[in-house]
Amino acid sequence: MDIYSSKLSPAVDYGAGAFLLLIALLSIVGNLLVLVMAYKRSSHMKPPELLSVNLAVADLGAAASMYPLAVASSWSHAWLGGRVTCVYYGLMGFFFGVASMATLTLMAVVRFSVFSTVPSSKRKLSKRRVQALLAATWLYALLWAVLPLLGWGRYGPEPFGLSCTLAWTDMKESDNSFIISIFSMNLVIPAIIITSCYIGIVLRLYVSYKSMKNCNVIPSTVKTQRRLVVIAILVSFGFIGCWTPYGILSLLSIYSPNVSIPAHVSMLPCLFAKTSTVYNPFIYYMFSSTFKQEVKELVCVGARVCISQPNKGSENAPQVAMCDRNKAKKDDLSEQRSNEQSNDIGTQVTPMPDP
């Protein structure tokens, strides 16, 4: 049997392809919005915010370089391109996945480090240091992605035939050390670090709340930190949650060969893992009013372009009025935001933090 042919029914293949197409569109549009908003306020960005920009780049890279090929293969009922594209797909998935996990780990460590120290200009991360850390994450991801090409590990098709990744079953005997290493260094240890850092931050926030005599009056800085911590936790554990079922299934296929897993069942964790590139922009939109406001303004710009065309002024007048109200509201709050930002200790890690 051809290892690159689908083990699923054509109906399931078409459904999986449609799902991946939706995920690709949402991921590309959402992460492009994050990058556009970050570019618009690049002159005001603080160094730690580059970590979230890096995460958006990794998610966008995964969606753009992998998902179109997966959609085309699903609708063709067979993996397109054979061995060459299979290795390419597996390498891209491993590369961007490790880069994302390394970035999330850095985000947790940076937030814990800065949040746990007394605010001081000497304690703030410089832009050059953050850039060096980001370069290290990409080099780290590249190292792990290239190792299977050098003989330690290997890439191969998934059991259901419509995706490629590390060839877990084939590596059981010859590359057992590689399997243990990648799960330890790229899932277990990072997850422990991320969890420990955010538990430490939550405990410090709890102590801060308890130390306040008047709980009805909470400083704006503490509210900001609480909101940013919520965003960081959701982003981090959303990624870990997406990939954990796939990791468990992979380990099960390696160390429990007698367990028979139907092809359509093995496909589900793989599809679920791919949704990890979608969540972050939605989380930013839900919890960062600054990001939400910037997106609305971008929509308003589109509406203004539309009304500049003839015979469409009356149809778009309500949208323009709403845009004007939003702009006036933003102008009224700009001075208040700038005052609050002057008290910020520089720990934001989302591209559009809400001061």
Side-chain angles (χ1 to χ4, degrees):
M1 180 181 291
D2 185 7
I3 60 174
Y4 298 111
S5 64
S6 175
K7 312 305 185 295
L8 307 170
S9 66
V12 175
D13 286 341
Y14 284 120
F19 177 79
L20 287 174
L21 179 61
L22 176 63
I23 294 300
L25 293 175
L26 291 175
S27 180
I28 291 173
V29 172
N31 286 289
L32 275 178
L33 279 175
V34 172
L35 295 178
V36 169
M37 300 312 169
Y39 176 77
K40 287 179 62 177
R41 62 187 302 273
S42 58
S43 60
H44 304 289
M45 287 182 62
K46 297 174 182 178
E49 295 180 77
L50 295 175
L51 293 169
S52 286
V53 176
N54 195 66
L55 187 61
V57 171
D59 289 342
L60 181 61
S65 64
M66 299 169 57
Y67 296 171
L69 179 59
V71 172
S73 297
S74 295
W75 289 348
S76 299
H77 199 55
W79 183 256
L80 300 177
R83 174 67 181 171
V84 174
T85 58
C86 185
V87 171
Y88 160 80
Y89 190 91
L91 187 146
M92 289 294 104
F94 197 22
F95 174 65
F96 287 115
V98 173
S100 296
M101 193 63 173
T103 302
L104 290 171
T105 305
L106 271 180
M107 288 172 63
V109 172
V110 168
R111 172 162 291 282
F112 177 78
S113 175
V114 180
F115 188 83
S116 301
T117 57
V118 179
S120 169
S121 58
K122 296 181 180 180
R123 291 287 187 178
K124 293 181 180 179
L125 284 174
S126 66
K127 185 176 182 180
R128 179 171 296 182
R129 181 174 297 181
V130 172
Q131 289 174 339
L133 291 173
L134 294 181
T137 63
W138 289 107
L139 290 175
Y140 179 80
L142 181 62
L143 173 64
W144 280 102
V146 169
L147 285 175
L149 301 181
L150 301 178
W152 197 33
R154 68 190 69 178
Y155 294 111
E158 297 273 14
F160 52 91
L162 287 179
S163 181
C164 290
T165 183
L166 293 168
W168 303 110
T169 304
D170 295 341
M171 294 188 299
K172 178 182 178 182
E173 309 235 348
S174 59
D175 298 301
N176 193 51
S177 61
F178 180 75
I179 295 172
I180 296 174
S181 298
I182 60 173
F183 273 98
S184 300
M185 300 299 295
N186 298 303
L187 183 59
V188 177
I189 293 178
I192 292 174
I193 293 174
I194 291 171
T195 303
S196 301
C197 288
Y198 288 127
I199 288 177
I201 293 174
V202 170
L203 290 177
R204 287 187 65 86
L205 280 174
Y206 176 76
V207 172
S208 298
Y209 275 96
K210 293 289 288 185
S211 63
M212 296 175 189
K213 295 181 180 179
N214 187 359
C215 294
N216 294 324
V217 181
I218 302 176
S220 60
T221 302
V222 176
K223 291 181 179 179
T224 299
Q225 294 303 316
R226 180 181 61 185
R227 182 165 53 252
L228 295 174
V229 168
V230 169
I231 293 175
I233 290 175
L234 290 175
V235 168
S236 299
F237 288 98
F239 182 87
I240 295 174
C242 286
W243 281 98
T244 297
Y246 180 79
I248 293 174
L249 185 66
S250 299
L251 289 175
L252 189 64
S253 66
I254 297 170
Y255 297 109
S256 298
N258 295 328
V259 177
S260 178
I261 303 175
H264 65 277
V265 174
S266 66
M267 177 191 66
L268 295 178
C270 182
L271 293 179
F272 184 58
K274 288 178 170 58
T275 63
S276 63
T277 60
V278 175
Y279 297 140
N280 297 346
F282 285 99
I283 293 172
Y284 298 148
Y285 188 85
M286 293 297 296
F287 290 90
S288 175
S289 60
T290 304
F291 180 63
K292 184 183 297 185
Q293 181 66 29
E294 293 286 349
V295 172
K296 290 180 179 179
E297 288 180 1
L298 188 62
V299 174
C300 289
V301 170
R304 290 182 183 278
V305 172
C306 290
I307 66 166
S308 65
Q309 300 176 3
N311 301 325
K312 291 189 178 182
S314 59
E315 297 176 2
N316 293 276
Q319 295 179 342
V320 177
M322 182 178 297
C323 292
D324 292 337
R325 287 196 297 270
N326 289 337
K327 185 177 184 301
K329 182 178 179 181
K330 182 181 180 181
D331 292 339
D332 293 339
L333 293 176
S334 61
E335 183 176 355
Q336 177 184 352
R337 288 181 175 179
S338 62
N339 292 334
E340 291 179 355
Q341 286 177 343
S342 64
N343 296 323
D344 188 12
I345 62 176
T347 60
Q348 284 93 334
V349 294
T350 57
M352 277 59 60
D354 188 305

